[in-house]
Structures are given as C-alpha cells and as structure tokens.
Amino acid sequence: MKKSIALISVFAVLMIAFSGCVDNNSPAVNGTDSANPETNVISEDDVAGISTLETLPAGFEYVDTIPLSTDEIKSDYNAENVSGVLNVSEGIYKDSNETNYYIDAIELEDEEVANNFIDAYKASFPPLSSGSRFTDKSFNGHSAVKITEYVTSGGETVPRYTYIWNNENYVIVVYGNTAEEAPIRQLAEATGY
C-alpha cells in the first residue's frame, strides 16, 4: 500500500512538473522573455496587429492600416525571387509636420525565408561612395539593420532611413519621408518587436 501511495505521489509531482514545461504561455523563445517589457516574441498576432501600434510615441498620429499584396511587397523590396510570403500589412502614421511614416509587417513561411527576404532587399542597394549603407542596431531585444539611402528633395540630396529586422518568421520594416533618423527609430522601438 505504501508503495502505491509513493508511486502515485511521484507520478503527481512529475505531471505537475511536466505541465509547466509544455505550457503554451512559456516566455522563453529565441532568447527573449515576454515578462521583460523590452523584448517580445510574436505569437498568434496577425500582420495587421503588428503594423498597428497600440501606443504611439509622442507627436505621432495613426492614419490607417492597409493590406498589401504579396506581388506588391516583393516588388517594393526587390524580393521577387523569395517565395513564402504569406501575408502583408502596412500601418500608416504621420507626425505634427504631416510627414508620413510606415510600418510594414510581412509574414513568411519560416525564419529562414524571413532572413532570405531581408538579404534580398539589402542586396538590391548599391554600395555608398563613402560610409556604410547598413548599420547594425539593437532594440526590444532584437537586432535590426538601419539602411541609409539618399534621395533628391527640393533640389538637395537628403538621407532616408529604414529599419528592417525579423522576429521569427515575421519581417518588420519601418521607414518615413524624413531626413531625421530619430522618429524612424522611435516608431521601430514602439512596435515592441
């Protein structure tokens, strides 16, 4: 009888321990911890939810969220040869100066395809004559790449900045029509991803 009670007790303890190991709310994924507000892992969010910020940095206003076609996004990001784009959404924002900002959220089949998408986009840029076009940045517990390109605006050559990174099988891109890097970075951090 004592062996049966001991066996049942051991079995109960193992069941409790095992159930904690397979809980779907486990925060430890890809080295991030959802209990830490600076790191988030995307789970069961759709791309529209990712590109629509719940909390905006000061001075920003939400305009709209629109779906984009996979052909459109492949063309925009020079990733025509990348297969596995599943869903795309673009969040549109503006600041008090009426400058437009965008957050593109792109769901891909898996993390490898997400990395291929980013690599294809980066490969579409020619090298700068001086300085580095790509700068590694880190925020929200993830690494991102800041891309600098130059456009002519009002007869002057001015920089434009884009932040691009992946979180698991999602690629997130933040950019805007401004020569200032700080507001782009603020929006990128505000995604929480």
Side-chain angles (χ1 to χ4, degrees), residues 3-17:
K3 287 184 183 180
S4 296
I5 293 174
L7 186 59
I8 291 171
S9 297
V10 169
F11 183 68
V13 169
L14 288 174
M15 289 291 290
I16 291 169

Side-chain angles (χ1 to χ4, degrees), residues 85-166:
V85 177
L86 302 177
N87 202 356
V88 185
S89 177
E90 182 172 76
I92 305 168
Y93 302 85
K94 66 179 179 177
D95 64 14
S96 57
N97 297 324
E98 300 296 317
T99 301
N100 293 322
Y101 299 87
Y102 306 90
I103 299 175
D104 289 354
I106 306 157
E107 181 183 12
L108 297 117
E109 285 180 355
D110 58 39
E111 191 169 356
E112 182 179 349
V113 175
N115 287 323
N116 291 342
F117 186 93
I118 292 171
D119 289 343
Y121 184 52
K122 287 171 55 180
S124 70
F125 290 95
L128 292 176
S129 57
S130 65
S132 177
R133 182 178 299 280
F134 308 110
T135 308
D136 292 332
K137 298 291 182 175
S138 181
F139 51 85
N140 299 337
H142 297 286
S143 296
V145 175
K146 179 185 80 174
I147 302 172
T148 305
E149 61 183 310
Y150 292 89
V151 299
T152 303
S153 177
E156 295 181 39
T157 301
V158 294
R160 293 289 188 256
Y161 301 100
T162 300
Y163 279 86
I164 186 168
W165 71 98
N166 75 295

Side-chain angles (χ1 to χ4, degrees), residues 62-79:
Y62 170 75
V63 176
D64 198 6
T65 299
I66 58 173
L68 299 176
S69 73
T70 56
D71 290 339
E72 194 174 13
I73 208 71
K74 284 181 171 187
S75 176
D76 289 350
Y77 290 97
N78 297 307

Side-chain angles (χ1 to χ4, degrees), residues 19-35:
S19 68
C21 294
V22 296
D23 182 19
N24 288 336
N25 294 323
S26 175
V29 179
N30 286 346
T32 61
D33 182 355
S34 61

Side-chain angles (χ1 to χ4, degrees), residues 34-56:
S34 61
N36 179 344
E38 295 190 61
T39 59
N40 274 328
V41 175
I42 297 170
S43 62
E44 299 182 24
D45 279 332
D46 63 359
V47 292
I50 296 166
S51 62
T52 306
L53 300 182
E54 291 181 21
T55 305
L56 289 171

